[in-house]
Amino acid sequence: DFVVFDDCYQGEIELEKIKYRHKITPYAGRAIIGKIEQTLLRGQVVYQSEQCKGSPIGKPILRHERHHQEVA
């Protein structure tokens, strides 16, 4: 898994580009430096050019499940 990050990008947080359900944020309009260009998860591109690709393939990481498996 890895992320391709553009550390030269300069812009601002725009509400239209927020990718989560609740689009209320105290960061709207703030200046930023850098942005994620691409994300690969288990060798598959899951984010590129400000778009999510395909269906979700991530797995939740839950502390109690991991601990439960180690104990069993």
Side-chain angles (χ1 to χ4, degrees):
D1 303 348
F2 67 92
V3 171
V4 177
F5 185 77
D6 178 359
D7 63 350
C8 295
Y9 174 84
Q10 294 184 17
E12 67 178 48
I13 304 291
E14 300 174 43
L15 289 177
E16 309 82 51
K17 293 184 180 180
I18 291 178
K19 303 283 186 206
Y20 51 85
R21 184 174 37 170
H22 303 291
K23 299 202 182 278
I24 299 171
T25 177
Y27 304 107
R30 287 198 181 181
I32 57 171
I33 297 175
K35 76 173 185 174
I36 296 172
E37 292 289 340
Q38 186 179 58
T39 303
L40 287 94
L41 178 62
R42 291 193 286 285
Q44 293 184 350
V45 175
V46 295
Y47 178 84
Q48 183 172 0
S49 304
E50 300 182 5
Q51 296 291 321
C52 294
K53 304 289 182 184
S55 41
I57 61 172
K59 296 180 182 176
I61 300 173
L62 303 174
R63 178 180 285 185
H64 70 277
E65 284 187 15
R66 183 174 28 177
H67 176 71
H68 180 64
Q69 290 172 354
E70 292 172 0
V71 174

